[in-house]
Amino acid sequence: MSAYKKQIGGSHYQNFTIQPAEFSNKNKLLWAEGEVIKYICRHKEKGRKKDLEKAKHVIDMIIERDYGTEKQET
């Protein structure tokens, strides 16, 4: 059985066509980008608003990592 077909510690990914981890791995995303996808996908089934806040926090980390801490102009 594929590791993507089972879940340890809950069932909040079971109803997805493709699990966030599988999507992230197959697309060779960095850890932070995969975390954002995970939190966005599961927020209704698990963490609710807190998962969305986690996603925002990780996005802030990505911005800092890739674009520095100075405010960027658009």
Side-chain angles (χ1 to χ4, degrees), residues 24-42:
S24 296
N25 288 334
K26 287 187 175 183
N27 287 286
K28 297 178 175 46
L29 298 180
L30 296 175
W31 171 85
E33 285 80 347
E35 286 293 286
V36 171
I37 291 167
K38 174 183 82 172
Y39 289 133
I40 294 292
C41 288
R42 77 180 199 186

Side-chain angles (χ1 to χ4, degrees), residues 4 12 14 24 31 37 47 67 69-70 73:
Y4 296 115
H12 43 278
Q14 296 295 319
S24 296
W31 171 85
I37 291 167
Y67 306 102
T69 56
E70 295 179 17
E73 292 188 33

Side-chain angles (χ1 to χ4, degrees), residues 2-72:
S2 169
Y4 296 115
K5 298 292 182 199
K6 64 181 180 178
Q7 181 178 340
I8 309 289
S11 61
H12 43 278
Y13 300 122
Q14 296 295 319
N15 293 325
F16 290 116
T17 302
I18 181 170
Q19 288 193 25
E22 182 178 5
F23 176 86
S24 296
N25 288 334
K26 287 187 175 183
N27 287 286
K28 297 178 175 46
L29 298 180
L30 296 175
W31 171 85
E33 285 80 347
E35 286 293 286
V36 171
I37 291 167
K38 174 183 82 172
Y39 289 133
I40 294 292
C41 288
R42 77 180 199 186
H43 78 93
K44 290 183 180 179
E45 298 295 323
K46 188 175 184 212
R48 320 240 350 124
K49 182 180 175 184
K50 188 160 202 87
D51 273 349
L52 295 176
E53 290 168 347
K54 289 177 181 180
K56 282 173 47 176
H57 180 234
V58 177
I59 289 170
D60 287 339
M61 287 189 251
I62 295 168
I63 291 169
E64 186 173 323
R65 178 195 70 201
D66 292 349
Y67 306 102
T69 56
E70 295 179 17
K71 186 172 184 170
Q72 300 292 314

